[in-house]
Amino acid sequence: MSAASSPGSSAPKAPLLNLLEGMALTALFQALPTYAGAALILKLAHSSTLPMSIIGFVVPASIIHVLMISAIGPRYPQLLKQAYAANFYDATLGLADKIFRWRTQPEGSLQLLGSTAMLALLSTAVLAMG
């Protein structure tokens, strides 16, 4: 994506807006698929480990994940390189550019591919069981 396609990419955006964008992208592309997959595995195994609803597990777990990654990720980017996507928190990038840069990196592509395959297989298995 060029700078012409995203007019806001040259000037940094407000820190709070940038943080909220980064947190939303982290939740959508990293946390939700992980915890939805975990919930599907528990459902598939007929586990009684989840006393609450699936939504009651996935949403709080995702929120905690996002808060922790947003706080710790910038301090230890090498340690959390699989969980912290620095592009999501880059104030000079527009929303579309953040997604594009993450998606075109090898780590982002592998995360997206793994999440898609895992959720498709688990969803099919859970639905087949009734």
Side-chain angles (χ1 to χ4, degrees):
M1 297 202 133
S2 66
S5 67
S6 55
S9 65
S10 59
K13 60 184 76 159
L16 181 61
L17 175 62
N18 185 58
L19 178 64
L20 291 175
E21 274 185 6
M23 292 172 96
L25 292 171
T26 299
L28 184 62
F29 293 116
Q30 294 178 321
L32 280 173
T34 300
Y35 297 109
L40 282 171
I41 289 171
L42 291 172
K43 181 107 172 142
L44 186 61
H46 298 291
S47 175
S48 60
T49 305
L50 290 175
M52 60 189 110
S53 70
I54 298 297
I55 299 296
F57 167 72
V58 173
V59 171
S62 296
I63 291 171
I64 291 168
H65 176 102
V66 167
L67 291 174
M68 288 177 59
I69 292 302
S70 297
I72 300 170
R75 293 184 190 132
Y76 306 103
Q78 288 300 77
L79 181 66
L80 299 171
K81 61 184 168 187
Q82 293 293 327
Y84 178 69
N87 287 331
F88 287 168
Y89 298 90
D90 186 344
T92 62
L93 297 174
L95 185 63
D97 290 330
K98 290 178 181 187
I99 296 168
F100 177 77
R101 289 200 182 173
W102 174 74
R103 189 176 47 86
T104 56
Q105 291 180 342
E107 296 85 16
S109 274
L110 285 175
Q111 284 179 342
L112 212 54
L113 182 64
S115 294
T116 302
M118 176 189 65
L119 290 175
L121 290 171
L122 288 172
S123 298
T124 303
V126 168
L127 291 171
M129 293 185 70

